[in-house]
Amino acid sequence: MTQHDLVEKICEAVGGQAEDAAFYPTALDGFGLLHDVKTKSIESQVYEPIVCLVLQGKKETRIGDRLVHFGAGDSLIVSHSLPVLAAVTEASREKPYVGLVFSLDLTILRGLYDSIGSEPAGIETAQSLVASKASPDLIDAMTRLFHVSLNPTDAKILAPMISREIHYRLLQADHGGMLRQMLWRDSAASRIARQ
């Protein structure tokens, strides 16, 4: 399925609700759809630990002095609860801003890190909000999660496995460095506490 087809499916899933809100939850806890038909000015928001895969349109987020731009094909990873200023900068009725939002589970991340973890790269990765091009594997996993969310039986059986895969893909992603660093620090602190 192409990115264009996925956008159409999401717009179809949102349907007549499109005027009401930018975020639409799915049947899966912690997984939802973003859909905005118009640009929005800067607003104060609190981002929870998530990954957001943008499929169409553009957004910008300011955290402190740093301005992060992201658009179609990018994924935004947020490792901690953060107060930010955010704005949708490209959206229209013909081409709405569309994305998939997935809540991160630190328990799953820690379990995976214990299996695959290594010490993080340099300090430049130690940011709590980073955007970069999404890998094909991450896009594929998020797409599959959207599809299984439309079928209750599929969701019950397959969603936990795909959720685990998404967490794994994020730990392996270049811009997942801040997750690896956060988990490494937790592990290092735990080791010290046990001594």
Side-chain angles (χ1 to χ4, degrees), residues 43-104:
E43 297 177 338
S44 295
Q45 299 180 10
V46 175
Y47 283 0
E48 298 299 330
I50 57 153
V51 59
C52 174
L53 174 64
V54 180
L55 301 169
Q56 184 169 274
K58 292 181 181 175
K59 194 169 186 177
E60 65 180 35
T61 297
R62 182 178 295 280
I63 174 170
D65 295 331
R66 194 160 61 97
L67 186 62
V68 179
H69 298 272
F70 48 102
D74 292 338
S75 60
L76 175 79
I77 303 174
V78 181
S79 64
H80 297 79
S81 295
L82 294 173
V84 300
L85 297 171
V88 174
T89 57
E90 185 180 292
S92 67
R93 191 166 299 283
E94 295 73 30
K95 288 190 73 174
Y97 173 78
V98 177
L100 298 172
V101 177
F102 176 80
S103 295
L104 301 183

Side-chain angles (χ1 to χ4, degrees):
M1 170 172 282
T2 67
Q3 191 164 301
H4 175 74
D5 293 336
L6 181 57
V7 167
E8 287 195 344
K9 278 277 198 187
I10 291 171
C11 291
E12 182 183 309
V14 171
Q17 307 176 75
E19 299 293 335
D20 299 337
F23 180 78
Y24 302 88
T26 68
L28 299 174
D29 286 343
F31 184 62
L33 316 176
L34 292 174
H35 185 281
D36 257 318
V37 295
K38 55 187 175 183
T39 59
K40 291 187 175 176
S41 56
I42 293 280
E43 297 177 338
S44 295
Q45 299 180 10
V46 175
Y47 283 0
E48 298 299 330
I50 57 153
V51 59
C52 174
L53 174 64
V54 180
L55 301 169
Q56 184 169 274
K58 292 181 181 175
K59 194 169 186 177
E60 65 180 35
T61 297
R62 182 178 295 280
I63 174 170
D65 295 331
R66 194 160 61 97
L67 186 62
V68 179
H69 298 272
F70 48 102
D74 292 338
S75 60
L76 175 79
I77 303 174
V78 181
S79 64
H80 297 79
S81 295
L82 294 173
V84 300
L85 297 171
V88 174
T89 57
E90 185 180 292
S92 67
R93 191 166 299 283
E94 295 73 30
K95 288 190 73 174
Y97 173 78
V98 177
L100 298 172
V101 177
F102 176 80
S103 295
L104 301 183
D105 185 323
L106 294 181
T107 302
I108 294 175
L109 284 170
R110 283 188 189 102
L112 288 168
Y113 182 82
D114 287 344
S115 299
I116 65 169
S118 59
E119 292 191 16
I123 195 70
E124 71 276 5
T125 61
Q127 297 173 330
S128 49
L129 184 151
V130 181
S132 185
K133 283 293 177 193
S135 71
D137 288 334
L138 177 61
I139 293 170
D140 175 63
M142 295 279 282
T143 300
R144 283 184 281 117
L145 189 64
F146 169 69
H147 282 296
V148 303
S149 76
L150 302 176
N151 181 300
T153 304
D154 286 353
K156 182 178 179 181
I157 302 300
L158 299 175
M161 290 183 281
I162 300 172
S163 172
R164 186 173 170 82
E165 179 186 349
I166 290 170
H167 285 85
Y168 169 74
R169 299 296 178 197
L170 293 173
L171 282 174
Q172 298 294 90
D174 290 341
H175 63 311
M178 94 284 234
L179 296 176
R180 296 189 297 272
Q181 192 151 95
M182 174 185 71
L183 294 167
W184 177 73
R185 284 177 175 158
D186 285 352
S187 296
S190 297
R191 284 194 298 270
I192 290 167
R194 287 195 298 267
Q195 292 178 352

